[in-house]
Amino acid sequence: RHSTHRGLRMYKLLLVDDEQIIREGLEKMIALCGMDIVITASCSNAIAALDSMMDDMPDILLTDVRMPGMDGLELVERAMSLHPQLRAIILSGYDTFAYAQQAIQAGVTEYLLKPCSQEELGQALERAVDKMRKQVVHLYGERQSRVEMLTKALLALCRDALAPQRLEKKVQEIAKTAEDPSLLREALARVLTRGA
């Protein structure tokens, strides 16, 4: 059994394999995992998968390696260039160190050998979801610390009796350090709610 975290969010998965029977089998296995994962598309080749990503970017890419045209590793490389936070899981019939090494260089998170079991797939998906959750928490923490620094800088300005022109220049300097306008908006909101 795999742990579930209902209510947090659904993670979107894109499934790619040129054999329909394998795709259908994987879909059933994913459903049986009982995790917060929804399959956004099930594609028979890499080109269709890339098209699907343009419409709905997944969180997890689960792809076969051997497919006509573009192979799974090239698909992973292209997908990662579009979405660097993507978690890529490769299904491969190749049990060689060189191939696994190539997959890691392409940005693959998990490397499963065909045929994989329900448990192996479930554990790989759980690790992928866990890494994404940790990443979200880390990014949120970073954002909050940046907002706090901006808030402190703005509050310090409020306490200083600066000439209007000097004050404007200082505010512009602080705004430049924010980079993201939403960070600055959040910091200003905090300043206002603190009664400055």
Side-chain angles (χ1 to χ4, degrees), residues 143-155 158 174-175 177-178 180-196:
R143 179 186 173 83
Q144 290 309 301
S145 63
R146 287 187 68 192
V147 168
E148 193 56 42
M149 283 172 64
L150 287 166
T151 306
K152 283 178 181 172
L154 290 167
L155 283 168
C158 294
I174 292 168
T177 65
D180 183 348
S182 68
L183 292 174
L184 190 60
R185 279 197 299 273
E186 200 173 323
L188 286 167
R190 284 193 189 189
V191 168
L192 293 170
T193 54
R194 288 183 189 189

Side-chain angles (χ1 to χ4, degrees), residues 94-104 111:
Y94 299 113
D95 187 13
T96 65
F97 175 73
Y99 207 80
Q101 201 174 30
Q102 195 182 341
I104 290 163
Y111 189 87

Side-chain angles (χ1 to χ4, degrees), residues 17-91:
D17 197 298
D18 61 324
E19 292 185 56
Q20 187 177 344
I21 194 162
I22 291 176
R23 287 200 310 275
E24 288 171 358
L26 288 167
E27 285 171 26
K28 285 175 187 168
M29 286 168 76
I30 291 163
L32 287 169
C33 286
M35 297 177 68
D36 302 327
I37 292 172
V38 59
I39 298 172
T40 54
S42 183
C43 302
S44 61
N45 61 68
I47 301 301
L50 286 170
D51 283 345
S52 172
M53 281 182 200
M54 296 303 178
D55 295 328
D56 193 2
M57 184 58 73
D59 301 297
I60 302 167
L61 171 63
L62 175 59
T63 181
D64 185 21
V65 172
R66 294 188 76 174
M67 295 183 289
M70 189 190 303
D71 75 8
L73 289 184
E74 191 181 342
L75 171 60
V76 169
E77 286 174 348
R78 292 202 186 189
M80 295 287 285
S81 70
L82 294 170
H83 180 31
Q85 280 77 46
L86 182 77
R87 298 288 158 186
I89 301 173
I90 280 276
L91 285 166

